[in-house]
Amino acid sequence: HKAASRTMQDLIVGSTVAVVWAMLTVADAAMIYVMDPVSSLGRQAWKAIRRRKVIEPPKKVLVLGSSFAGLTIRNELHGDEFDVTLVDRKDYFEYTPGILRCVVQPNKAEELCAKIQPPRNGRFVKGEVWSVGTNSAQIRIGDSELQDMPFDYCVIAIGSEYRAPWKTGPGAASLEERAASWEGERARLEQAKSVIIIGGARVPSPATVALATSRIMARARTHAQHTHNNNNNNTHTHTHTGLTQ
């Protein structure tokens, strides 16, 4: 009798354990089905930590100015941890040391200027800076109202100021406007009675040669025109000693 009772108890315990085990297996499968996306995110986070990647929004970097310094910053901050906004009132880069040639050769601007390309991890904004605060700047884009641009870091690379035409002004925001301004400067040069170049260092030298050549050619054209007119009028030809000088 005791043996039969023990056998019955073992059967009950074994059945109970089997039922509980089956229930736990079903519950575990359900939890895996429900929690798999979460566990996948956890694995991704762990892999990112192991690769030392920062799991946070990229830092907003506002770069004001798109000349040498501004474009250098754009090229250096190319990682996904930065969101770069490049701002300038013109949409092109101009090689300032060589731009003096454009006074006598306006077509040289095509070789010395290039359209600005936006950062790979950001954008380029053609606008004018009105104010810079501790965590945002106000930018006017075209004729629109001032726009507030927040930043984590702000790089002010607006360069220096020179009188036109050596540096671009508000009236030369595009390459077409800049080319037109050089044409106007060449016309002024050809009408000038004298030209003074202060400084003989490396930068002015190409401009000096170009200016001298331009002046000689302008005087030669004037001399040829006078000769032609005088010949047509059957008068003697005047020789301009200034041409040889």
Side-chain angles (χ1 to χ4, degrees):
H1 179 73
K2 290 183 179 180
S5 177
R6 182 177 295 278
T7 301
M8 182 62 65
Q9 290 177 357
D10 292 341
L11 289 174
I12 293 174
V13 171
S15 300
T16 302
V17 170
V19 171
V20 172
W21 183 262
M23 292 176 62
L24 289 174
T25 301
V26 172
D28 186 53
M31 289 294 293
I32 291 175
Y33 177 78
V34 173
M35 296 298 294
D36 183 68
V38 178
S39 63
S40 177
L41 290 176
R43 286 194 298 271
Q44 293 177 11
W46 175 247
K47 289 180 180 179
I49 292 173
R50 293 188 64 181
R51 290 194 301 266
R52 296 183 179 181
K53 285 189 175 180
V54 180
I55 308 175
E56 63 180 16
K59 297 294 184 182
K60 294 182 180 296
V61 181
L62 183 63
V63 182
L64 307 179
S66 62
S67 191
F68 294 100
L71 294 182
T72 300
I73 295 294
R74 179 203 66 177
N75 295 337
E76 291 294 329
L77 302 182
H78 54 77
D80 294 333
E81 64 269 29
F82 299 107
D83 180 10
V84 181
T85 300
L86 186 63
V87 179
D88 201 300
R89 64 184 178 188
K90 63 184 188 305
D91 59 2
Y92 58 92
F93 166 79
E94 186 174 85
Y95 182 66
T96 306
I99 206 65
L100 302 178
R101 282 187 174 273
C102 294
V103 177
V104 293
Q105 296 174 296
N107 59 340
K108 279 289 184 180
E110 298 178 1
E111 304 175 13
L112 300 170
C113 300
K115 283 283 188 178
I116 295 175
Q117 300 300 320
R120 186 187 66 82
N121 53 339
R123 65 206 60 80
F124 169 71
V125 175
K126 182 180 177 181
E128 191 169 359
V129 181
W130 280 73
S131 65
V132 179
T134 55
N135 53 15
S136 67
Q138 288 189 318
I139 311 296
R140 184 181 294 281
I141 303 175
D143 297 328
S144 64
E145 296 182 356
L146 294 178
Q147 297 188 22
D148 199 56
M149 290 191 177
F151 59 77
D152 296 306
Y153 302 97
C154 180
V155 179
I156 301 177
I158 57 177
S160 56
E161 290 289 337
Y162 292 93
R163 290 186 59 185
W166 315 120
K167 284 293 187 74
T168 57
S174 67
L175 279 172
E176 295 75 17
E177 292 173 337
R178 186 58 165 157
S181 71
W182 287 122
E183 290 288 352
E185 291 302 321
R186 181 175 66 174
R188 287 183 57 196
L189 175 65
E190 292 183 351
Q191 296 173 5
K193 295 180 179 180
S194 61
V195 177
I196 299 177
I197 299 177
I198 301 176
R202 182 175 181 178
V203 170
S205 296
T208 304
V209 175
L211 284 171
T213 303
S214 175
R215 296 289 294 176
I216 291 173
M217 293 303 295
R219 292 187 180 186
R221 286 194 296 269
T222 302
H223 175 68
Q225 185 63 37
H226 286 174
T227 302
H228 177 73
N229 293 338
N230 290 333
N231 285 337
N232 289 341
N233 295 330
N234 296 320
T235 60
H236 66 280
T237 302
H238 295 282
T239 301
H240 295 271
T241 57
L243 177 60
T244 58
Q245 293 174 356

